[in-house]
Amino acid sequence: MHEASAAEAIVKMVCGVAAERGESLGVAQRVASISLVVGVATGYMRESLEFYLAASAKGSPAEGAALDLVYVKPLLRCPSCGLEFERERFT
């Protein structure tokens, strides 16, 4: 359920950007899509993000915005040799 607070913050952020752009252009701006790059380790689920983004965006310029979501795996770097590798889950 931690997606709820993240979704609220994302909607607030994109609506703020839309308002700033609208002021500079002299035209109200709608948010057509929200693009996110999310770390796999966050545990965010697509369905939950979609639900909470839709709920948080009701009545705002982001209402009805499509969600473009890309998951990325954590990449770690050895401080000694500089080797980069993906983190494997501990069992």
Side-chain angles (χ1 to χ4, degrees):
M1 180 140 142
H2 57 288
E3 288 94 337
S5 59
E8 288 177 19
I10 291 165
V11 168
K12 184 176 179 178
M13 188 182 334
V14 298
C15 287
V17 171
E20 288 173 8
R21 290 185 180 174
E23 287 176 12
S24 66
L25 297 173
V27 178
Q29 297 292 298
R30 265 191 51 60
V31 177
S33 66
I34 299 172
S35 298
L36 297 175
V37 176
V38 177
V40 173
T42 64
Y44 289 165
M45 296 173 28
R46 174 181 287 279
E47 295 81 12
S48 293
L49 277 173
E50 288 173 340
F51 175 81
Y52 288 116
L53 282 171
S56 297
K58 281 194 178 182
S60 77
E63 185 172 6
L67 175 61
D68 178 25
L69 184 62
V70 175
Y71 287 99
V72 294
K73 292 182 179 181
L75 188 63
L76 304 172
R77 180 176 309 155
C78 174
S80 298
C81 68
L83 176 70
E84 292 184 343
F85 56 96
E86 290 182 0
R87 186 192 108 200
E88 294 183 21
R89 295 202 60 75
F90 298 108
T91 56

